[in-house]
Each structure stands twice: as C-alpha cells, then as structure tokens.
Amino acid sequence: EHPLFHSIVDLGPRYLVYMVSAMRSGEYNNVQLQDLCEAMFRVTKISRSYLGGDDPEVWVNWWDVGRSKASQQFELAYANWRSSLEGPDRDKMYQNLLDLGIMALPFAIEKISAEKNQSLPVQIGLVQAVDYWTGGQVMKEISKRRYPLQYWSGICCKWWDARKNEWLLPPLETKA
C-alpha cells in the first residue's frame, strides 16, 4: 500500500467529507476510487456486508442518506445484542452492532453514560465496541493504569468527552 493511502486513513473521520467529495467529482480513475473506498472502510469500520457494496456510489449514498438512520439502526442492533447475551446468537448480534462502525459511537457512549447500573458484561461489550471503532484508542487509555473492569465505562466516557470532536461525523446536509 502506498504511503499516501496511510496518510489519508490517518487523517481519520474528519477527512471523510473530502473523500466523499472526491468520489463525487469524477476526477479519479477506478484504482484511485477503490483506494478511497478502502480508506472509507478503514476509517469508518463499517462492514461491507452492512453497507451492501464496495463502490463509490454506495459510499456516497451512505453519506447522503444512510447516516440518517444511524440512531434507529443502533437501537435495533443494541436491543438484539442485549436480548441475545445468554443465547447462541450472542456473537452474531454483537458483530451486527460492530458492523455499524463509527456512526454508532455517540449512541454507544450515550448508553454507557446513561446506563451505568447495567450489567458489567453490557458495559464491557459497549466499551470494547467503542475501542474497536476507534482503532484501539480506548483500551490504550485503560491499559495505561490497568483500570479494573468496573471503571472501564467511566474511562471510556472521559476519553469520549476529550476527543469526540475528532470522531463525530458532520451533520447531514439539508437540501433547500
């Protein structure tokens, strides 16, 4: 992979708007467009199966329309995962939650913060999801002092408060 590709990925979520703009522009060849799509996957952690494709049009549609359903999709995936914690579908339901990618971050943080009295496995699962979506950033913070499990949700929320502007997707554009 080209070093420029890694530079784009390293810019993170704040650069997504420019990647989508580049996809719309029609100025890039197929190889460059595929590199942009791969960068989008790496930054957003949205699964190809969730997205339903692997091409620029799919990403532009997600950017314009798909993100607007993030809250409802998170609530459904979260409810399905919670109800399957003791069942055989637990891992599949958790993967469905992870497949939503970074667009689910604010909703997961909201659950962690609002439901501090929920079971420890739910708290840990949500913290691990946030960690996955952010490329290991939360566990890096937790492992600095080897915090016990019961403190993970608080550390995760503090991490989010300090860095949410780096991770929040911009609001949807409204057409006048």
Side-chain angles (χ1 to χ4, degrees), residues 43-55:
V43 170
T44 65
K45 301 285 195 293
I46 295 173
S47 76
R48 286 172 171 83
S49 61
Y50 167 79
L51 198 58
D54 196 11
D55 59 65

Side-chain angles (χ1 to χ4, degrees), residues 105-145:
L105 275 169
F107 310 111
I109 296 293
E110 187 178 294
K111 291 285 185 205
I112 292 168
S113 181
E115 300 181 31
K116 291 202 187 270
N117 295 328
Q118 64 188 334
S119 72
L120 195 56
V122 171
Q123 286 286 322
I124 299 307
L126 287 172
V127 170
Q128 288 173 328
V130 171
D131 185 63
Y132 168 75
W133 294 323
T134 60
Q137 296 296 307
V138 175
M139 290 310 293
K140 191 183 302 181
E141 189 70 26
I142 289 170
S143 65
K144 283 181 184 176
R145 292 200 178 97

Side-chain angles (χ1 to χ4, degrees), residues 6-176:
H6 291 287
S7 298
I8 291 170
V9 171
D10 290 344
L11 290 171
R14 65 183 179 268
Y15 196 70
L16 291 173
V17 67
Y18 302 108
M19 288 192 268
V20 171
S21 180
M23 290 178 185
R24 286 186 216 276
S25 74
E27 298 175 18
Y28 297 90
N29 66 40
N30 285 341
V31 172
Q32 292 167 322
L33 287 171
Q34 285 307 311
D35 284 348
L36 280 171
C37 289
E38 183 60 30
M40 293 285 286
F41 280 116
R42 294 216 188 154
V43 170
T44 65
K45 301 285 195 293
I46 295 173
S47 76
R48 286 172 171 83
S49 61
Y50 167 79
L51 198 58
D54 196 11
D55 59 65
E57 294 81 24
V58 171
W59 276 110
V60 169
N61 184 59
W62 169 77
W63 187 258
D64 292 343
V65 180
R67 304 186 292 142
S68 67
K69 301 173 185 135
S71 175
Q72 300 93 327
Q73 291 169 338
F74 174 81
E75 288 300 330
L76 178 62
Y78 175 75
N80 288 341
W81 171 62
R82 287 276 321 246
S83 67
S84 71
L85 284 175
E86 302 299 323
D89 289 340
R90 179 187 68 218
D91 293 341
K92 180 181 180 223
M93 294 299 113
Y94 188 67
Q95 186 60 53
N96 289 345
L97 182 70
L98 293 179
D99 287 350
L100 296 175
I102 65 170
M103 68 178 180
L105 275 169
F107 310 111
I109 296 293
E110 187 178 294
K111 291 285 185 205
I112 292 168
S113 181
E115 300 181 31
K116 291 202 187 270
N117 295 328
Q118 64 188 334
S119 72
L120 195 56
V122 171
Q123 286 286 322
I124 299 307
L126 287 172
V127 170
Q128 288 173 328
V130 171
D131 185 63
Y132 168 75
W133 294 323
T134 60
Q137 296 296 307
V138 175
M139 290 310 293
K140 191 183 302 181
E141 189 70 26
I142 289 170
S143 65
K144 283 181 184 176
R145 292 200 178 97
R146 297 184 181 163
Y147 289 103
L149 293 175
Q150 64 266 27
Y151 295 110
W152 284 19
S153 59
I155 300 303
C156 183
C157 290
K158 284 180 185 174
W159 177 90
W160 176 253
D161 287 341
R163 293 168 187 81
K164 66 182 162 193
N165 290 335
E166 299 170 31
W167 292 95
L168 283 172
L169 298 176
L172 292 166
E173 292 180 20
T174 55
K175 308 231 188 254

